[in-house]
Amino acid sequence: GARSGIMTIKITIREAQPEDSKDIWIWRHDKTTREMSISTDAVDWDSHSDWFETSLLDKNTFLYIGFLESDKSKVGICRYNIDPEKNVASVSINLNPEKRGQGLSCTLLAGSMEMLFREKKIDLTATIKKHNKPSITCFTKCGFKFDSEDSLYNHYVFHNVV
């Protein structure tokens, strides 16, 4: 049936490259992305470029890009910011707006977690706006557990079983 079609979508994941910068910046300015982001401000190109270049060089930041195997189109980005003192990484995900609502975020998140765990055995945290139901569904499907909440956000944790 129609459902089996969803399962066959294959996503390839790789580390972000300098040439991904423009796409990531464009996705960041999508209306829905900004509403769901912790920082809702627009980011000018120069600030983004500086952030991106620094992130690529930072050994505590991992950026993964997912793309469809079928047509090589980019699905989105997963970012992991590691706190080396606590040995924990905060995770955020942002989809290419054209790829939303296709059930791809979970595949992207799971695949990027797998890649990160090859490099680092660490626990993860995610902070998600309470009304961001698709993101909450995605993270809980991938094994994140509800940890705490405040007025705006739910906080989730993923314990990496060693």
Side-chain angles (χ1 to χ4, degrees):
R3 215 178 139 62
S4 62
I6 295 172
M7 305 316 288
T8 58
I9 295 173
K10 292 235 187 317
I11 293 181
T12 304
I13 294 175
R14 61 165 169 75
E15 288 186 28
Q17 307 294 335
E19 63 270 16
D20 296 317
S21 186
K22 189 88 184 271
D23 286 328
I24 294 164
W25 184 64
I26 291 167
W27 302 339
R28 174 71 183 76
H29 286 92
D30 173 67
K31 188 171 169 291
T32 307
T33 296
R34 282 178 61 185
E35 281 169 14
M36 297 305 176
S37 294
I38 290 170
S39 160
T40 53
D41 302 340
V43 180
D44 66 78
W45 170 249
D46 290 340
S47 306
H48 166 81
S49 294
D50 291 348
W51 166 81
F52 190 69
E53 280 174 34
T54 306
S55 296
L56 290 181
L57 298 171
D58 181 355
K59 67 181 186 352
N60 290 311
T61 301
F62 288 79
L63 302 174
Y64 296 108
I65 301 283
F67 54 95
L68 296 181
E69 286 186 5
S70 55
D71 65 359
K72 303 288 181 261
S73 61
K74 291 180 192 176
V75 171
I77 181 171
C78 278
R79 181 179 85 220
Y80 296 85
N81 286 355
I82 297 171
D83 178 337
E85 313 237 312
K86 294 182 180 151
N87 201 36
V88 84
S90 62
V91 189
S92 64
I93 185 169
N94 189 22
L95 285 193
N96 172 347
E98 293 167 16
K99 303 294 185 197
R100 278 206 196 102
Q102 300 172 39
L104 298 171
S105 60
C106 206
T107 312
L108 173 61
L109 178 60
S112 70
M113 285 166 65
E114 206 176 289
M115 281 190 74
L116 178 76
F117 293 156
R118 279 181 215 156
E119 304 280 333
K120 304 262 178 202
K121 290 284 179 268
I122 53 174
D123 291 343
L124 307 176
T125 63
T127 300
I128 306 171
K129 284 194 175 166
K130 286 175 179 289
H131 64 275
N132 189 350
K133 296 284 186 279
S135 202
I136 289 171
T137 302
C138 166
F139 277 84
T140 51
K141 239 193 209 167
C142 285
F144 282 75
K145 304 275 182 263
F146 177 82
D147 183 53
S148 63
E149 62 184 310
D150 51 47
S151 55
L152 282 177
Y153 302 104
N154 285 354
H155 303 277
Y156 295 85
V157 292
F158 179 93
H159 292 296
N160 198 346
V161 183
V162 183

